[in-house]
Amino acid sequence: MQGVVVLVIVMLGVWVINNTMNNLEHRGISTGFDFLSQEAGFGILQSLVEYDESHSYGRTFVVGILNTLLVSGLGIFFATVLGFFVGVARLSSNWLLARLASVFVETFRNIPLLLQILFWYFAVLAALPHPRQSYSMGDAVFLNLRGLFLPRPIIEQGLLPVMVSSLMAVGLALLFRHKNRQRRIETGKPFSGARLWMVALLLGIPALAWSLSGASLVFDTPALKGFNFRGGISIIPELGALLLALTIYTAAFIAEVVRAGIESVQKGQKEAAASLGLQPGKVLKLVVIPQAMKVIIPPLTNQYLNLAKNSSLATAIGYPDLVSVFAGTTLNQTGQAVEVIAMTMAVYLTISLSVSLLMNTYNQRVALIER
């Protein structure tokens, strides 16, 4: 029976493919991926790689992927930090802090994400002043209707040795952290001054390479030229609104995941830790959170996947993510619906599977080992 089911599924897939190809042929629609090498002819508001109207549709695909990964990665980071803070605050003995955290969760998780994106974009960021009346900080940072403008660091020379030394410092710090963890598990005592040694590795090696290589650092400061700022790093308002909405919305769900994980730890564990003289912060860090992580990580993975997929709502405010740039403008100009949608689906599937793999690997590494 299992073989019959597989055969039926395969035959159904073949029929769908053949039927699609025949319909495309009857309507005179060409198939294939040759369109990826054609000139795009349209601009993109934000690009992490070099791009202009003369580049190909293949480059628009790359630009869309990078913009999607950018907002998804930043959203996951900020939502995790905010969600853990709010989740712990909900269980605080401080009545006001706990109530404020509850209001945050119940408010933002019950408002549709699309409405929150539109709120931040049209009601909050649209109310910022024009470039000539920008909010400024030290004539280096500017905030206005067009976005946030920051100084961009530029290393003029000696960049390669500094980058290599930074990677070496990170590798050595991770190795030292692993050895320190093994020693703590085996003997119950970490290395003396472990944190200071890690800070020394992370800062000392790159600083030494910087001084020896003679590298110099300058800043490209944004300046008002005409009707907008030029130079520096610009964060467009579409990215800001989308990032704010995704962060706050997902953090509300993560807070509940964290709260449930903490409450899953038996009360006796907390009381035993407190009886040893540990402060509440140490009890939370050393006893409660490590045991709660086995409950937190699986639903936390789901929230990460939801955030990555929810980033496709960016098209509502014009942020140039994969759906807006490739499955939107590129599809409309080329008419290659099957190929474009298939490539877009494949990208989101790859992102989701990669996040699941990383989180499952992390879950196995932090799992408590019972003796």
Side-chain angles (χ1 to χ4, degrees):
M1 289 302 297
Q2 295 179 16
V4 172
V5 172
V6 172
L7 180 62
V8 170
I9 293 175
V10 171
M11 293 177 62
L12 180 61
V14 172
W15 177 81
V16 169
I17 293 174
N18 289 333
N19 187 56
T20 302
M21 298 300 293
N22 291 333
N23 289 335
L24 291 174
E25 183 178 356
H26 290 160
R27 288 165 174 77
I29 300 176
S30 61
T31 58
F33 297 92
D34 295 337
F35 72 95
L36 293 175
S37 60
Q38 299 175 7
E39 182 178 311
F42 65 90
I44 298 178
L45 186 61
Q46 171 186 289
S47 176
L48 300 180
V49 295
E50 183 181 356
Y51 176 83
D52 56 42
E53 290 82 354
S54 64
H55 282 89
S56 65
Y57 289 118
R59 179 56 68 94
T60 66
F61 180 63
V62 174
V63 171
I65 291 176
L66 293 178
N67 287 341
T68 296
L69 292 176
L70 173 65
V71 71
S72 299
L74 292 176
I76 287 174
F77 173 77
F78 290 120
T80 302
V81 175
L82 180 59
F84 265 80
F85 174 78
V86 175
V88 173
R90 287 206 66 182
L91 300 175
S92 174
S93 57
N94 185 306
W95 183 88
L96 179 59
L97 182 61
R99 297 291 82 74
L100 288 175
S102 298
V103 170
F104 174 89
V105 171
E106 298 302 333
T107 299
F108 288 106
R109 74 171 180 171
N110 290 308
I111 298 177
L113 176 58
L114 180 58
L115 292 181
Q116 295 190 40
I117 294 174
L118 297 177
F119 168 78
W120 287 109
Y121 186 66
F122 290 108
V124 177
L125 298 185
L128 292 173
H130 292 280
R132 294 186 182 277
Q133 292 80 37
S134 300
Y135 299 124
S136 63
M137 182 182 299
D139 292 330
V141 179
F142 302 91
L143 177 64
N144 56 57
L145 188 65
R146 305 285 178 83
L148 177 64
F149 299 87
L150 306 168
R152 181 179 62 175
I154 301 175
I155 300 179
E156 293 186 336
Q157 59 182 358
L159 174 61
L160 183 59
V162 175
M163 292 183 61
V164 172
S165 64
S166 299
L167 293 176
M168 290 177 57
V170 172
L172 290 174
L174 292 176
L175 178 61
F176 179 79
R177 180 175 178 271
H178 175 69
K179 294 296 184 181
N180 185 55
R181 183 172 182 269
Q182 281 187 330
R183 176 184 171 89
R184 188 174 68 248
I185 293 175
E186 294 174 356
T187 66
K189 296 181 180 179
F191 289 111
S192 177
R195 292 184 179 179
L196 293 178
W197 279 107
M198 290 187 64
V199 172
L201 288 172
L202 290 173
L203 299 180
I205 295 178
L208 180 62
W210 182 282
S211 60
L212 294 178
S213 64
S216 59
L217 177 66
V218 296
F219 288 90
D220 179 18
T221 305
L224 182 62
K225 296 180 180 179
F227 296 100
N228 201 1
F229 283 86
R230 297 289 185 270
I233 300 174
S234 61
I235 301 175
I236 59 177
E238 290 80 7
L239 173 59
L242 181 63
L243 183 59
L244 277 171
L246 287 174
T247 298
I248 294 174
Y249 180 77
T250 309
F253 288 91
I254 292 178
E256 285 298 276
V257 170
V258 172
R259 181 183 65 83
I262 293 176
E263 290 189 331
S264 69
V265 179
Q266 295 181 1
K267 187 178 180 180
Q269 295 286 323
K270 307 172 188 177
E271 294 174 345
S275 67
L276 295 176
L278 293 178
Q279 297 297 322
K282 291 289 186 179
V283 173
L284 185 67
K285 177 183 177 181
L286 301 177
V287 178
V288 177
I289 293 297
Q291 297 184 69
M293 289 302 292
K294 64 181 181 181
V295 177
I296 292 174
I297 289 178
L300 182 63
T301 303
N302 290 335
Q303 296 306 320
Y304 288 170
L305 298 179
N306 289 337
L307 188 149
K309 291 179 287 187
N310 287 338
S311 66
S312 61
L313 293 173
T315 188
I317 56 174
Y319 176 74
D321 75 323
L322 182 64
V323 173
S324 176
V325 171
F326 195 66
T329 308
T330 299
L331 188 152
N332 291 333
Q333 292 192 180
T334 62
Q336 306 291 139
V338 174
E339 294 84 350
V340 169
I341 296 300
M343 292 173 66
T344 304
M345 293 171 61
V347 168
Y348 280 101
L349 178 62
T350 302
I351 293 174
S352 297
L353 292 178
S354 300
V355 172
S356 298
L357 177 61
L358 291 175
M359 292 301 294
N360 288 334
T361 303
Y362 176 74
N363 190 27
Q364 294 175 358
R365 291 181 59 89
V366 301
L368 294 177
I369 302 176
E370 297 183 359
R371 297 181 177 178

